[in-house]
Amino acid sequence: MHLVSRFPLVTTTVIVGACTAVLLFLGQPGAAQLLASGFALAIAVYRSASMVKGLLQGRLGIDLLAVAAIGATVAVGEYVASLIIVLMLTGGQALEDFAQGRATRELRALLDRSPRVAHRELEGGPPEEILVEAVLPGDVLVVKPAELVPVDGTLLSDAGTFDEAALTGESLPVDRVVGEALLSGTVNGAEAVRMVATATAAESQYSQIVALVREASASRAPMVRMADRYAVPFTAFAFLLAGLAWFVSQDPGRFAQVLVVATPCPLLIAAPVAFLAGTSRAARAGIIIKNAGTLEQLSRVRTAVFDKTGTLTSGRPTLSLVQVAGGASPAMTPDRVLQLAASAEQYSSHVLAGSVIDAAAAGGLILLPAANASEHATEGVSAVCSAGTVVVGKPGFVRSRTTGFELASLHGGQLGIYVGVDGVFVGSLIMSDPLRLNAADTLAELVRLGVTETVLLTGDTSLTAEHIAREAAITRVVADCLPGDKVRVVASLPLRPVLMVGDGVNDAPVLASADVGIAMGAKGATAASESADAVLLVDDLSRVATAVEIGQHTIRVARTSIWTGIILSVGLMVAAMFGTIPAVTGALLQELVDLAAILNALRALGGGRSARTPRMKGSRVSSGPAPRPIQSGDRGP
């Protein structure tokens, strides 16, 4: 009953066909012809209206061939063939709906499991159940066993275990301890936990993913539009063959026989189904493709550009050494320099600020209260502490605000954070941010997939950038870049399309300007995610190569489906020209061609050449803190 209500035209066509068969069995051929022909012409009129509407919206299709075939078969008395053509059109739409349902299964699963309710803790009473939209930052929530985390927040309980598979694709549960970040959409373990909300439902991670999925499912790919454009020459060719067959044979039935086999579903269905299947496969791998056209761009990428910190590296530098300036006062010990830097950084959301604060905490240093804290996007921070005005940041930022500035002695892969107090340079923090374990293999896999140039684009110094580039086998380095510089460099690259991979707010402009932008969205850099064409839900660089491979496989499947359908249809048309395929037989053969094309398009759900990049070691289960969301400009490398 559900299928009957879902596909009424198919059901009606089958009923009319059955009634026609009964009338023929009862010896009423005239009534059978009248019923079948009238119904077929009604469907032709209905499809004509859809065709005109599509033309007004700028879409060219091949409905004209189907409508002409129905009219021609009715005119020559081949009303059974007319019904088969109608069944092909209505059944083809039903097959498309079924195929799209399978192809978007993973995408719809995200939408179906969105958090809907939360349990807000009340003083002196049991938690109250509220709609997730009513949660405000600062609310204390209770998450029951096996319940979805409703909004982004911070764990208040001593510990908890969470299933993050829906967000990251990781099948094993992740342990979190008090103070660590929780993401909406993750599933709590066997024990109830308490958390404090840090965002509303609309601003939380899961809602942002749902928004990306909706955008992806509503998109229309360039390949689909190209398939529509095939309709013009194909339609002209079909009418030419049909007219030639009529002229040579002087039999109008030949005209109908050719048009019957000239209505290939591949141009209407196969390409969209392949793109939806490719998008679904990407979602299953933790990659949200925001619009289907991105798949075609990914398949043709020739230049891959990478940000450094948080992209090629882990983005969580660790302190290696504190260098005290020669002109600093005797009171400026390494611990004092680190304490002042961390005190100024405590109000910053930058990833380097978190590393400095973590280093101070590991050394048992107590942070000083700070006032008038100000973050200078991409450069550094300044704050007033009990010791005076502290500035922390890049060399140019601190040099312009201090005297006695000294560049730190850095080795490959190291970076310096410079510190000044009351206009005097007091020292440097030497940090190290090593290359991701699978970065070199990811670059090698991209080269195997056809990428001919790789570029490292970073705001860091040349020394550190070149060291990372050598380790990753990157061919070109552009260092000391501001966000505007990155945009200009990407625009000037000659080998296109250009793929840009980055994270952080400072990457948002260049991600938007690249032919394809991929954001490492697992760290919560929402501005970068919104600007990108694709978002990685798991902090695994190898998924970039996976995205390119999925794009290439999807395009191969889409093109194969289109051309297979066209070639088979042309072969049938040529055979029909010579009268070897009666109209009814031709209509049945065309049904088989349509089915084969759709099934072939569904191959995009599976793997082609599997990306051989290994997974990042340790990415499956996190024993450390959840990544800090980056909310302000990236001032460091």
Side-chain angles (χ1 to χ4, degrees):
M1 186 61 66
H2 172 69
L3 292 177
V4 171
S5 61
R6 184 178 176 186
F7 306 116
L9 285 180
V10 176
T11 303
T12 305
T13 304
V14 172
I15 293 172
V16 171
C19 292
T20 301
V22 170
L23 290 173
L24 288 174
F25 178 77
L26 295 176
Q28 300 292 326
Q33 181 173 359
L34 181 62
L35 174 62
S37 298
F39 176 72
L41 289 174
I43 293 297
V45 171
Y46 171 76
R47 293 302 293 236
S48 296
S50 299
M51 177 178 63
V52 171
K53 182 179 179 180
L55 289 172
L56 293 176
Q57 293 176 349
R59 296 199 306 267
L60 300 176
I62 60 171
D63 284 355
L64 178 60
L65 280 176
V67 171
I70 292 172
T73 49
V74 168
V76 299
E78 294 282 359
Y79 57 90
V80 175
S82 300
L83 280 180
I84 295 176
I85 296 172
V86 171
L87 182 62
M88 179 196 68
L89 290 176
T90 57
Q93 184 63 54
L95 282 172
E96 180 182 13
D97 291 343
F98 170 78
Q100 287 180 350
R102 180 184 169 188
T104 58
R105 183 168 51 202
E106 287 80 14
L107 301 185
R108 288 187 290 107
L110 282 173
L111 303 179
D112 293 340
R113 67 181 302 281
S114 298
R116 292 179 171 83
V117 298
H119 299 93
R120 184 164 55 195
E121 196 172 83
L122 300 176
E123 291 185 11
E128 63 171 344
E129 183 173 289
I130 59 174
L131 293 176
V132 69
E133 290 79 11
V135 176
L136 297 175
D139 286 347
V140 176
L141 308 176
V142 175
V143 185
K144 297 181 179 181
E147 189 174 60
L148 290 172
V149 175
V151 296
D152 291 353
T154 302
L155 184 63
L156 294 179
S157 299
D158 291 337
T161 301
F162 301 87
D163 179 0
E164 299 184 350
L167 299 185
T168 66
E170 305 299 339
S171 59
L172 296 181
V174 177
D175 294 328
R176 300 292 182 203
V177 297
V178 60
E180 290 191 353
L182 300 181
L183 298 179
S184 62
T186 58
V187 182
N188 186 26
E191 301 290 338
V193 297
R194 298 173 65 246
M195 61 173 286
V196 58
T198 58
T200 64
E203 296 169 342
S204 292
Q205 180 83 357
Y206 202 86
S207 293
Q208 292 165 11
I209 293 172
V210 168
L212 296 179
V213 170
R214 284 178 173 151
E215 184 178 350
S217 61
S219 67
R220 182 172 169 84
M223 175 64 76
V224 178
R225 291 194 291 268
M226 183 179 73
D228 289 344
R229 290 196 296 271
Y230 284 156
V232 176
F234 184 82
T235 300
F237 180 72
F239 276 114
L240 178 62
L241 283 186
L244 182 61
W246 186 0
F247 175 77
V248 172
S249 66
Q250 297 298 306
D251 178 8
R254 295 283 179 87
F255 183 83
Q257 290 169 5
V258 173
L259 289 187
V260 163
V261 295
T263 53
C265 261
L267 291 179
L268 292 172
I269 299 174
V273 168
F275 275 90
L276 284 167
T279 303
S280 176
R281 181 187 165 205
R284 202 163 59 234
I287 307 164
I288 294 296
I289 305 292
K290 292 170 61 175
N291 64 81
T294 299
L295 285 170
E296 186 173 18
Q297 291 283 62
L298 281 169
S299 72
R300 300 186 295 110
V301 165
R302 291 297 173 266
T303 301
V305 183
F306 294 86
D307 175 47
K308 187 179 78 67
T309 304
T311 303
L312 286 176
T313 66
S314 64
R316 291 290 291 181
T318 57
L319 180 65
S320 300
L321 177 69
V322 178
Q323 292 182 350
V324 179
S329 69
M332 284 296 168
T333 63
D335 280 352
R336 182 62 170 170
V337 172
L338 176 58
Q339 181 188 41
L340 292 174
S343 300
E345 293 273 29
Q346 64 185 309
Y347 300 108
S348 171
S349 59
H350 188 267
V351 64
L352 290 179
S355 297
V356 173
I357 294 169
D358 289 345
L365 302 177
I366 299 175
L367 301 188
L368 304 175
N372 298 327
S374 176
E375 182 145 17
H376 303 261
T378 79
E379 294 296 329
V381 298
S382 60
V384 178
C385 302
S386 58
T389 301
V390 181
V391 292
V392 184
K394 295 173 71 172
F397 175 76
V398 176
R399 179 190 285 115
S400 65
R401 290 164 172 78
T402 61
T403 59
F405 181 84
E406 302 171 2
L407 277 174
S409 177
L410 302 176
H411 303 287
Q414 292 182 330
L415 58 98
I417 298 177
Y418 298 86
V419 186
V421 179
D422 284 339
V424 177
F425 177 68
V426 297
S428 308
L429 309 181
I430 309 304
M431 313 290 286
S432 177
D433 188 14
L435 188 72
R436 288 179 185 261
L437 296 179
N438 63 355
D441 290 329
T442 299
L443 269 293
E445 178 66 11
L446 287 172
V447 171
R448 186 187 73 81
L449 291 169
V451 173
T452 56
E453 183 177 8
T454 53
V455 181
L456 175 57
L457 199 58
T458 178
D460 199 2
T461 62
S462 298
L463 179 65
T464 301
E466 288 172 0
H467 172 78
I468 292 295
R470 282 193 300 271
E471 289 189 330
I474 289 179
T475 56
R476 180 182 173 190
V477 176
V478 183
D480 298 306
C481 288
L482 294 175
D485 300 327
K486 293 183 178 182
V487 172
R488 285 188 288 272
V489 170
V490 167
S492 67
L493 293 172
L495 297 178
R496 310 195 81 87
V498 173
L499 166 68
M500 174 69 200
V501 186
D503 80 326
V505 174
N506 76 312
D507 291 324
V510 68
L511 288 171
S513 65
D515 297 315
V516 183
I518 296 183
M520 303 285 288
K523 292 189 177 181
T526 57
S529 299
E530 291 169 0
S531 301
D533 300 296
V535 181
L536 305 186
L537 301 183
V538 58
D539 192 26
D540 184 353
L541 187 65
S542 71
R543 304 299 172 96
V544 174
T546 301
V548 173
E549 187 275 326
I550 289 174
Q552 292 181 354
H553 179 61
T554 301
I555 295 303
R556 284 196 300 271
V557 169
R559 285 177 175 159
T560 300
S561 300
I562 290 172
W563 283 108
T564 298
I566 288 177
I567 291 171
L568 290 175
S569 295
V570 169
L572 291 175
M573 282 190 286
V574 172
M577 283 183 63
F578 296 98
T580 59
I581 303 180
V584 174
T585 303
L588 292 172
L589 289 173
Q590 187 60 56
E591 287 278 11
L592 295 178
V593 172
D594 299 340
L595 181 61
I598 292 171
L599 292 177
N600 184 72
L602 283 173
R603 290 193 303 112
L605 279 169
R609 297 176 301 174
S610 297
R612 291 195 292 262
T613 48
R615 300 183 54 78
M616 184 173 61
K617 296 179 181 178
S619 67
R620 183 169 291 276
V621 182
S622 172
S623 59
R628 285 170 58 101
I630 301 176
Q631 300 171 341
S632 62
D634 182 1
R635 67 170 184 269

